[in-house]
Amino acid sequence: MLLLTVVPGPLLAAEQTLLRDMIGQMLLVGFRGTTVDGASPILRDIREHNLGGVILFDRDVQLQSPERNIQSPEQVRVLTASLQANARVPLFVAVDQEGGRVRRFREDRGFAPGPSAKAMGQGSSDQTRLEGERTGKLLADLGVNLNFAPVADVDINPQSPAIGALERSFSADPDLVALHAHAFCRGLLAQGVLPCLKHFPGHGSASADSHRGLTDISNTWSAAELRPYEMLIPLKASPLIMTGHLFLRQLDDAYPSTLSKAVLTGLLRQRLGFQGVIVSDDMQMRAIADHYGQAEAILLAVEAGVDVLVFGNNLDYDPEIVPKAIDILVKAVEDGRLSVERIAASYQRIQAAKQQFYTSFAWAPQVRP
């Protein structure tokens, strides 16, 4: 068994290789292209940096182009198979396929429609579970194994630009949110697709969109927005929970939730008892990118408790984000700011989640936590 150095200082070559491979699993990134080849940066990241996952988009926000990763069902199947064929550890292949207006696989490209969360919340939970199964079947057929859905936000503010106005919440009743979110999760899992609840600790009351800037919910948030998580975590409804880039002074008067140890470790892990994978919302969203340097944001997120750092590479595009992020985290270990044990804990949670849809791994280093 290879044990990593736990004291600050330069790592041996073998130790650094193992550390970099573990950190690679903590990254999930977007990329450009409907096909990949030997010159694709994303294939380099998968092969050389042991990248943990990718996320697919239907349009390129930065280029204002309708072309990104998705053209047709057959094209997506070929793309996801090509990506997985280059991975040493099976990839998370993720997408936002909530239903309604937030769907990357849409009818104009040959995919079946799906209702919004609000529409589902007005029906029965059995019907919501069936919609989850339909969504899961669609994604599994395309080679997608992780859906950044369902939204567990409570519809406190129907005009909330990121949630209520887009009909992304099941209900204004937190108990109904939990009921339908659980049903949708069960449907996805029945098809071998992992769900991911979002956006902790609750985006439904926000009057701003964290894609566009700092979102302060201190004056609008209430404990009712935690209720779905309080109900769903003991049920082990979802192996992953996504953070929101939400500033909530009552919980942390210095950092937004994604960067807050009080929120992610104190509240989500210790008080609510979540033992699964904590995923950041896109680290390139303006709520983070405009207020923190990239290196500091990455370090604060991991210190707070984030296991998987998401870089959509869509609001901004940086084909070098994977090696950059790995270098930042390796240096933090060598400098003593982060411990090897902290990296190993995230790595092990990620592998536990992946084992829910893969029975074995071709590559799995032995690391003592």
Side-chain angles (χ1 to χ4, degrees):
M1 178 180 291
L2 178 61
L3 299 180
L4 295 182
T5 307
V6 295
V7 295
L11 297 169
L12 299 175
E15 292 174 330
Q16 183 164 135
T17 296
L18 182 53
L19 179 63
R20 295 181 72 88
D21 280 342
M22 286 196 295
I23 293 171
Q25 286 291 292
M26 296 173 64
L27 305 176
L28 189 151
V29 303
F31 61 99
R32 284 178 173 160
T34 54
T35 62
V36 289
D37 56 33
S40 300
I42 195 67
L43 285 193
R44 175 209 61 194
D45 294 337
I46 293 169
R47 292 168 176 168
E48 298 180 14
H49 301 300
N50 198 35
L51 181 65
V54 298
I55 182 169
L56 306 181
F57 292 103
D58 55 340
R59 63 191 184 94
D60 193 303
V61 174
Q62 188 188 52
L63 296 180
Q64 298 185 343
S65 168
E67 289 291 327
R68 177 76 173 191
N69 307 124
I70 299 167
Q71 289 178 329
S72 70
E74 181 56 33
Q75 169 266 325
V76 174
R77 292 186 197 103
V78 171
L79 175 61
T80 58
S82 299
L83 295 168
Q84 291 287 17
N86 284 275
R88 289 177 276 163
V89 177
L91 296 161
F92 283 134
V93 179
V95 74
D96 294 284
Q97 191 75 7
E98 300 171 15
R101 292 175 64 178
V102 181
R103 289 176 294 123
R104 307 308 179 205
F105 301 122
R106 307 182 72 88
E107 299 94 304
D108 61 353
R109 301 188 190 186
F111 303 96
S116 68
K118 182 176 181 177
M120 284 186 268
Q122 294 169 350
S124 71
S125 61
D126 286 342
Q127 186 60 39
T128 298
R129 179 180 55 79
L130 290 175
E131 290 295 346
E133 288 187 10
R134 292 189 187 103
T135 301
K137 184 176 181 181
L138 166 70
L139 299 184
D141 178 64
L142 296 170
V144 174
N145 53 40
L146 173 57
N147 191 8
F148 286 142
V151 168
D153 298 319
V154 182
D155 198 12
I156 303 294
N157 175 10
Q159 303 307 313
S160 177
I163 306 297
L166 300 180
E167 299 189 354
R168 298 174 70 191
S169 172
F170 288 109
S171 176
D173 181 338
D175 290 358
L176 280 179
V177 170
L179 179 69
H180 285 276
H182 190 206
F184 197 82
C185 287
R186 287 167 54 210
L188 290 173
L189 287 165
Q191 298 297 320
V193 174
L194 300 185
C196 178
L197 300 172
K198 61 186 186 184
H199 308 79
F200 188 84
H203 206 311
S205 69
S207 59
D209 183 346
S210 53
H211 286 84
R212 299 180 181 277
L214 186 64
T215 301
D216 190 334
I217 57 173
S218 301
N219 295 326
T220 57
W221 185 89
S222 72
E225 298 186 61
L226 283 183
R227 176 70 175 159
Y229 297 99
E230 292 171 338
M231 297 176 70
L232 294 168
I233 287 171
L235 296 174
K236 298 187 184 301
S238 173
L240 301 99
I241 290 178
M242 178 179 283
T243 69
H245 300 325
L246 305 164
F247 184 75
L248 183 56
R249 190 174 298 105
Q250 298 93 310
L251 299 179
D252 191 324
D253 61 4
Y255 296 110
S257 296
T258 301
L259 310 183
S260 170
K261 191 169 186 177
V263 174
L264 300 188
T265 298
L267 177 57
L268 182 53
R269 287 252 186 254
Q270 296 173 355
R271 181 180 144 194
L272 298 183
F274 181 63
Q275 299 302 311
V277 175
I278 298 177
V279 183
S280 79
D281 207 340
D282 190 348
M283 295 293 290
Q284 293 166 317
M285 287 163 63
R286 300 277 75 89
I288 298 296
D290 286 354
H291 296 273
Y292 303 90
Q294 185 179 82
E296 186 65 9
I298 288 171
L299 294 175
L300 286 170
V302 175
E303 288 175 329
V306 168
D307 298 306
V308 172
L309 294 158
V310 175
F311 294 90
N313 256 347
N314 205 350
L315 301 172
D316 294 311
Y317 179 68
D318 181 1
E320 301 303 313
I321 189 59
V322 170
K324 284 180 182 177
I326 292 173
D327 286 344
I328 288 165
L329 290 167
V330 168
K331 185 176 187 301
V333 171
E334 292 180 329
D335 291 346
R337 179 167 175 178
L338 289 173
S339 70
V340 170
E341 289 84 356
R342 171 66 193 88
I343 301 299
S346 284
Y347 172 81
Q348 290 168 344
R349 282 190 284 263
I350 292 162
Q351 301 317 306
K354 288 185 173 184
Q355 285 172 358
Q356 294 192 42
F357 55 81
Y358 289 103
T359 58
S360 64
F361 294 92
W363 181 90
Q366 299 297 309
V367 180
R368 181 176 295 168

PDB file of all heavy atoms in Angstrom, residues 94 205 242 300 364:
ATOM      1  N   ALA A  94     -22.260  14.161 -16.775  1.00  0.00           N
ATOM      2  CA  ALA A  94     -23.343  14.895 -16.135  1.00  0.00           C
ATOM      3  C   ALA A  94     -24.068  15.806 -17.116  1.00  0.00           C
ATOM      4  O   ALA A  94     -23.526  16.195 -18.162  1.00  0.00           O
ATOM      5  CB  ALA A  94     -22.798  15.719 -14.971  1.00  0.00           C
ATOM      6  N   SER A 205     -35.834  31.655  -2.409  1.00  0.00           N
ATOM      7  CA  SER A 205     -36.272  32.995  -2.000  1.00  0.00           C
ATOM      8  C   SER A 205     -35.466  34.098  -2.662  1.00  0.00           C
ATOM      9  O   SER A 205     -35.779  35.284  -2.507  1.00  0.00           O
ATOM     10  CB  SER A 205     -36.165  33.137  -0.478  1.00  0.00           C
ATOM     11  OG  SER A 205     -34.794  33.143  -0.073  1.00  0.00           O
ATOM     12  N   MET A 242     -25.692  19.493  -4.456  1.00  0.00           N
ATOM     13  CA  MET A 242     -24.985  20.638  -5.019  1.00  0.00           C
ATOM     14  C   MET A 242     -25.206  21.874  -4.164  1.00  0.00           C
ATOM     15  O   MET A 242     -26.324  22.136  -3.722  1.00  0.00           O
ATOM     16  CB  MET A 242     -25.447  20.907  -6.455  1.00  0.00           C
ATOM     17  CG  MET A 242     -24.802  22.121  -7.103  1.00  0.00           C
ATOM     18  SD  MET A 242     -25.330  22.403  -8.813  1.00  0.00           S
ATOM     19  CE  MET A 242     -24.378  21.147  -9.673  1.00  0.00           C
ATOM     20  N   LEU A 300     -10.770  27.606  -0.862  1.00  0.00           N
ATOM     21  CA  LEU A 300     -11.836  27.832   0.107  1.00  0.00           C
ATOM     22  C   LEU A 300     -12.941  26.792  -0.041  1.00  0.00           C
ATOM     23  O   LEU A 300     -13.487  26.302   0.957  1.00  0.00           O
ATOM     24  CB  LEU A 300     -12.414  29.239  -0.060  1.00  0.00           C
ATOM     25  CG  LEU A 300     -11.544  30.398   0.434  1.00  0.00           C
ATOM     26  CD1 LEU A 300     -12.128  31.736  -0.022  1.00  0.00           C
ATOM     27  CD2 LEU A 300     -11.419  30.375   1.970  1.00  0.00           C
ATOM     28  N   ALA A 364      -7.685   1.811  -9.160  1.00  0.00           N
ATOM     29  CA  ALA A 364      -8.174   2.323  -7.882  1.00  0.00           C
ATOM     30  C   ALA A 364      -7.050   2.290  -6.866  1.00  0.00           C
ATOM     31  O   ALA A 364      -6.790   1.258  -6.261  1.00  0.00           O
ATOM     32  CB  ALA A 364      -9.366   1.500  -7.376  1.00  0.00           C
TER      33      ALA A 364
END
